[in-house]
Amino acid sequence: MTDSQRRRARVCDLSERELLERIFPRLAVLGSPILGPGDDAAVVSVPDGRVVISTDTQTEGQDFRFEWPNGYRTTGADVGWKAAAQNLSDINAMGAVATSMVVSLTLPAETEAGWVEGLADGLVEAIRALGAKGCTVAGGDLGRGGELSVTVTVLGSLEGRAPVLRSGARSGDVLAVAGRIGSAAAGLALLEHGPAYGVLDADLRDVVQSQCRPIPPLAAGPAAARAGATALMDLSDGLLKDGDRMGRASGVVLDLDEAAIGDHAALLRGPAEVLGADPLPWVLGGGEDHGLLAAFPATSQLPHGFTAIGSVVPPAGGPGGVAVAGRPAQPSGWDHFAR
Amino acid sequence: MTDSQRRRARVCDLSERELLERIFPRLAVLGSPILGPGDDAAVVSVPDGRVVISTDTQTEGQDFRFEWPNGYRTTGADVGWKAAAQNLSDINAMGAVATSMVVSLTLPAETEAGWVEGLADGLVEAIRALGAKGCTVAGGDLGRGGELSVTVTVLGSLEGRAPVLRSGARSGDVLAVAGRIGSAAAGLALLEHGPAYGVLDADLRDVVQSQCRPIPPLAAGPAAARAGATALMDLSDGLLKDGDRMGRASGVVLDLDEAAIGDHAALLRGPAEVLGADPLPWVLGGGEDHGLLAAFPATSQLPHGFTAIGSVVPPAGGPGGVAVAGRPAQPSGWDHFAR
């Protein structure tokens, strides 16, 4: 069998064991937990008596398309990267450091083995490139289904600190963000309505990649915790929607600064021009960037990677929420169910 | 809105928050981890510096059908129960005790909210009825998809003990099982080829339920570990297939006793007669019972719940495997991919 034939074998032509034998060596490069894949369960070291845990599923047709309208073909490595990145971001958003993950894969019978190998490689690439040093893939599960989905569950260590919740923002705090804001939404717009991927320049391809391979700023979460952040959360569903959640959970209003929002929008002028679109809705409503939204005491020096984006003000008799330049804003953004 | 209307609302008519507000209170009855659902991640206590972790996905059409040929309709609570039970069994099979789980749900738009509420209730019912005392549901994820799937990831504590692997069986050991063997396969046969569920007697319904709501013997795993089991594993893919895995991992042959196999088959006379079937393939090849297969030193007293089913013998020059009455057996059983 040639290497190409080997990669193009469909999973229904392989036994579970044969497929696992292709996956395990690719993951082993990350090192080993106390007990790795191959038994009924894995065993992972937990240094400080508490473990942070988060789980997230990506499903074809919902979270990615195998082929986008602009011709971009999603690789297994893209899906593996994004599945890892999303989950690593949730750990980051607690101020914690990822230590290990387990992966449950549901595969249609006709899935090519090479695509699955690519997915394993993408997990590893993301863990390394994003700097989740010491994070291993401890185990997982394989099953068949009509559509392809990947569920990653990630564990993290608080390194002795308290978790930074979304409910701790206080009136008077500075509001700050780390990572790109709106870029993943601009990338999605390019994938769906933009020119053919093949003709995009490097800057626009980079915007597309921020949708396919988001880059959560993994050093920023623990740095925020060490700097005394009062609240911290992952920007996965859009600045207004996630801001509204933090505002309500904290009983305050997060007042976004119009100039700072404009600065983020200006960074998206390239894709906006190509698409004839306004970049502001991407910044305010676009999800999947996996940046961080944080509140810091006004006296804090913002840690590396954060820039101010507004301030925390009293709830003015309401339940708390989000505002732009003092005007209450309707939280728009991604909802998995509401139409 | 009446309670019936409320339950029959489809998930696409609800926001994510509204759906979560229906789920969280149902799970809260189990108690709380250090930090429960609602933030970017949950925080769970880990007493002994190591955590056991396992993950497993159930997908409609693969792991269950909403309506079976014999007319049985799978409830949300059935799916919740089975998802919890399968995962609790993996922790049990390491000799550990489950401490918490996270749940990722992928739901088609037309799923009724009441069905999802039932799923949450089924998780809780299983955790309580199976005796996973102290196990909480710490968090999860909701997403949309074309087919319904549930991924549970469970954490467990080794309570200071070493994990009991599948690779430790030694020649001379006694081989034993805990829990039902072949009953889930008999239940599947009834669901697929049996008389209408409505006309089945209580004994046959109980067999059907062993497929829909398996009962892993959760006390038996830690008991086996305390009794010095040399190897332990979950019987999820069939006695021969799982036995072959343990035999190969340990470099020994697991020699099953014909009379003991016959005793297990005799327990399935009821469904066998109704279906005109031989119960032996259910005992040897049937999966999803989530009993335990264990090896104990010959001098051990088998802990409560275990009965002997054979002995461990040398590999006779081969890689190890499984035999019946001294004759090497072909491992049949469930494989997710091979046709």
Side-chain angles (χ1 to χ4, degrees), chain A residues 251-335:
Chain A
V252 296
V253 167
L254 307 191
D255 189 21
L256 301 172
D257 179 60
E258 216 159 10
I261 295 290
D263 290 345
H264 284 279
L267 295 172
L268 299 172
R269 206 177 292 140
E273 275 172 14
V274 165
L275 292 162
D278 177 3
L280 210 60
W282 295 333
V283 173
L284 293 173
E288 301 191 282
D289 286 306
H290 301 292
L292 291 175
L293 177 65
F296 293 95
T299 52
S300 301
Q301 192 174 357
L302 295 185
H304 181 72
F306 282 94
T307 56
I309 199 167
S311 55
V312 182
V313 301
V322 68
V324 179
R327 294 182 299 275
Q330 279 308 312
S332 66
W334 178 253
D335 192 295

Side-chain angles (χ1 to χ4, degrees), chain B residues 207-246:
Chain B
V207 173
V208 169
Q209 288 302 319
S210 71
Q211 163 64 224
C212 299
R213 297 190 171 215
I215 301 184
L218 293 193
R226 286 190 296 266
T230 54
L232 187 62
M233 76 182 284
D234 172 41
L235 283 167
S236 56
D237 292 337
L239 189 55
L240 288 188
K241 185 152 191 166
D242 290 326
D244 186 64
R245 288 173 174 151
M246 182 183 280

Side-chain angles (χ1 to χ4, degrees), chain A residues 207-284:
Chain A
V207 174
V208 169
Q209 288 302 318
S210 72
Q211 163 64 224
C212 300
R213 297 190 171 215
I215 301 184
L218 293 193
R226 285 189 296 266
T230 55
L232 188 61
M233 76 182 284
D234 172 41
L235 284 167
S236 56
D237 293 336
L239 190 53
L240 289 188
K241 184 153 192 165
D242 289 327
D244 186 64
R245 288 174 175 150
M246 182 184 279
R248 285 172 182 266
S250 299
V252 296
V253 167
L254 307 191
D255 189 21
L256 301 172
D257 179 60
E258 216 159 10
I261 295 290
D263 290 345
H264 284 279
L267 295 172
L268 299 172
R269 206 177 292 140
E273 275 172 14
V274 165
L275 292 162
D278 177 3
L280 210 60
W282 295 333
V283 173
L284 293 173

